[in-house]
Amino acid sequence: MKYIEPEELSKGLNSIPVVDVRSPGEYSHGHISPAINIPLFDDEERAEIGILYTNSGREMAITRGQEIVRPKMHALVKHAEQTALKGKLMVHCWRGGMRSEKMAELFESTGLECLVLRGGYKAYRKQLFSDFENLDNLVVIHGATGSGKTEILKELEKRGEQVIDLEFLANHRGSAFGSIGMDPQPTTMQFQNDIHFRFINMDNSRPIWIEGESLNVGKVYLPNTLWDKMNRSLVIRIDMPRNLRVDRIVKEYGNYPGESLAACVKIIEKRYGGDRTKNVLQLINGNNLAEAVDQLLNYYDGLYEFSLGKYKEGKIIEVKSGSADAKWNAGLIMNRVKEISKYA
């Protein structure tokens, strides 16, 4: 049995399968993104062992744990063999203690080769926050609501650029309307792990493009170290006429039921104001979506300008566009960044 340090983990995530031996509940709350769950104990068994450890001591807990595991050893090994790549696995638990060590011993007794993550999932999470501090070439795409930032990122990715799509990973578009038509959001912990997995598989010497977001995207939160890095990085601000932004938003949300749109407006009622909310709701009920969006942009544009002025410490480069075409705007942005790099 060999150990792998948390800072070395990124080198092995694509070359060796990761096995998370924690309980299903622990795993579902948050896990290393490519990890496969082969739990030593299910949630009820883990709770039983924990209570026994507290009330009767370590030896009694170990004895009971052995009783629970013995009947399912064959199934655990079979799952591990099916998961292994060329007979190799990386195994971890919460702190890199008894669960991962015992499972690695079991797997190795059948001929598999195992690495154990030192410090376990807890150490991985600490390393995650540290890794985001080392993002050297982050480029943040900003723009007022309706500027098509997500579509621009997709076009950049098609051109071979490195992109982290936060809204895709969060299952949320980042506003009060962001959950419409989306799957349920992951936990904050899983969201952060998924971002980290994208990042560690990228070349940090090349630009990594990301959309400017608030600290939270819906109900999930960015890692603080990534948020801080985004606020200190180069910002490319796409600026396009308001009427184009209105058209884009209407096309994106116009097919959703009016009741769903109205429910989203009510989320911001306290901050937006009762009279203005009532007016927008009447416009939605009358299917006058363009006017409703135009009025809502007064609110969202104000929030955007406040956020940009308060949090951004890095250089802000403005790119003006008279088009809502994402391909065109991606080209404008790439050319502007090349100019900056040439004369920097």
Side-chain angles (χ1 to χ4, degrees):
M1 184 192 313
K2 297 179 181 179
Y3 288 86
I4 183 171
E5 302 297 328
E7 58 268 25
E8 300 176 295
L9 184 60
S10 61
K11 301 173 184 177
L13 281 181
N14 283 324
S15 61
I16 182 170
V18 180
V19 172
D20 185 334
V21 303
R22 297 175 303 152
S23 69
E26 292 173 286
Y27 177 86
S28 63
H29 183 62
H31 56 269
I32 299 173
S33 291
I36 294 169
N37 192 208
I38 305 181
L40 181 63
F41 304 118
D42 63 28
D43 295 329
E44 292 76 18
E45 292 165 347
R46 175 174 174 260
E48 179 188 349
I49 295 295
I51 293 170
L52 194 59
Y53 185 95
T54 300
N55 295 337
S56 304
R58 184 173 184 271
E59 294 302 319
M60 290 289 290
I62 291 175
T63 299
R64 177 57 183 145
Q66 291 171 339
E67 293 173 353
I68 292 172
V69 171
R70 195 172 293 116
K72 52 185 177 182
M73 288 174 63
H74 177 74
L76 293 171
V77 169
K78 192 70 175 176
H79 197 171
E81 289 175 338
Q82 293 170 346
T83 302
L85 180 63
K86 296 181 180 179
K88 295 183 179 180
L89 293 170
M90 193 196 79
V91 180
H92 78 85
C93 58
W94 169 238
R95 287 193 178 93
M98 186 174 293
R99 283 188 290 178
S100 57
E101 290 176 349
K102 293 302 180 184
M103 285 284 264
E105 288 176 1
L106 173 62
F107 298 156
E108 289 200 332
S109 71
T110 67
L112 295 175
E113 182 180 339
C114 294
L115 290 173
V116 174
L117 177 61
R118 196 182 300 278
Y121 181 71
K122 185 177 181 181
Y124 162 76
R125 286 288 298 173
K126 183 178 179 181
Q127 185 64 40
L128 174 150
F129 289 100
S130 177
D131 284 345
F132 284 122
E133 294 175 346
N134 299 320
L135 273 167
D136 298 325
N137 287 289
L138 200 64
V139 182
V140 186
I141 297 183
H142 260 272
T145 302
S147 299
K149 300 180 289 295
T150 299
E151 287 77 9
I152 292 171
L153 283 176
K154 290 177 180 177
E155 287 299 326
L156 290 171
E157 192 166 29
K158 289 178 183 177
R159 300 180 187 206
E161 295 296 310
Q162 302 182 119
V163 169
I164 298 176
D165 189 341
L166 295 176
E167 293 186 356
F168 171 78
L169 297 175
N171 287 333
H172 201 281
R173 299 185 191 89
S175 72
F177 296 81
S179 63
I180 294 182
M182 305 292 278
D183 292 332
Q185 289 196 265
T187 65
T188 287
M189 190 177 288
Q190 191 57 50
F191 172 57
Q192 295 174 350
N193 294 349
D194 291 342
I195 299 171
H196 183 255
F197 183 60
R198 300 302 192 278
F199 159 60
I200 61 174
N201 288 295
M202 293 179 175
D203 181 355
N204 197 30
S205 67
R206 294 175 51 216
I208 296 175
W209 302 80
I210 195 167
E211 181 176 344
E213 294 285 354
S214 301
L215 180 58
N216 64 297
V217 186
K219 295 181 179 179
V220 297
Y221 286 80
L222 295 170
N224 286 329
T225 47
L226 175 58
W227 167 245
D228 290 341
K229 180 65 72 170
M230 289 168 66
N231 287 325
R232 297 196 304 270
S233 297
L234 172 66
V235 172
I236 302 296
R237 177 180 179 177
I238 184 75
D239 183 16
M240 67 175 60
R242 181 161 170 153
N243 66 298
L244 296 182
R245 294 192 287 126
V246 170
D247 289 344
R248 281 200 71 266
I249 295 170
V250 171
K251 287 179 182 177
E252 185 171 5
Y253 290 98
N255 291 326
Y256 292 112
E259 313 86 72
S260 299
L261 298 174
C264 293
V265 173
K266 291 176 182 178
I267 293 174
I268 62 171
E269 182 173 6
K270 287 185 178 179
R271 288 169 291 171
Y272 187 54
D275 290 340
R276 289 192 291 179
T277 298
K278 182 179 179 180
N279 186 43
V280 168
L281 291 176
Q282 288 175 344
L283 290 169
I284 292 173
N285 290 335
N287 203 33
N288 191 348
L289 297 183
E291 180 61 27
V293 169
D294 189 63
Q295 292 198 21
L296 285 168
L297 284 182
N298 292 325
Y299 169 75
Y300 280 108
D301 285 358
L303 287 180
Y304 170 70
E305 293 297 335
F306 173 80
S307 174
L308 197 67
K310 180 176 181 180
Y311 297 111
K312 300 296 172 276
E313 301 173 19
K315 190 174 184 179
I316 300 177
I317 304 296
E318 189 168 285
V319 175
K320 288 188 175 294
S321 174
S323 171
D325 183 75
K327 291 182 180 179
W328 176 259
N329 291 329
L332 288 178
I333 288 172
M334 287 188 69
N335 290 336
R336 190 70 180 95
V337 170
K338 287 177 182 177
E339 290 176 6
I340 297 168
S341 301
K342 182 177 180 180
Y343 295 105

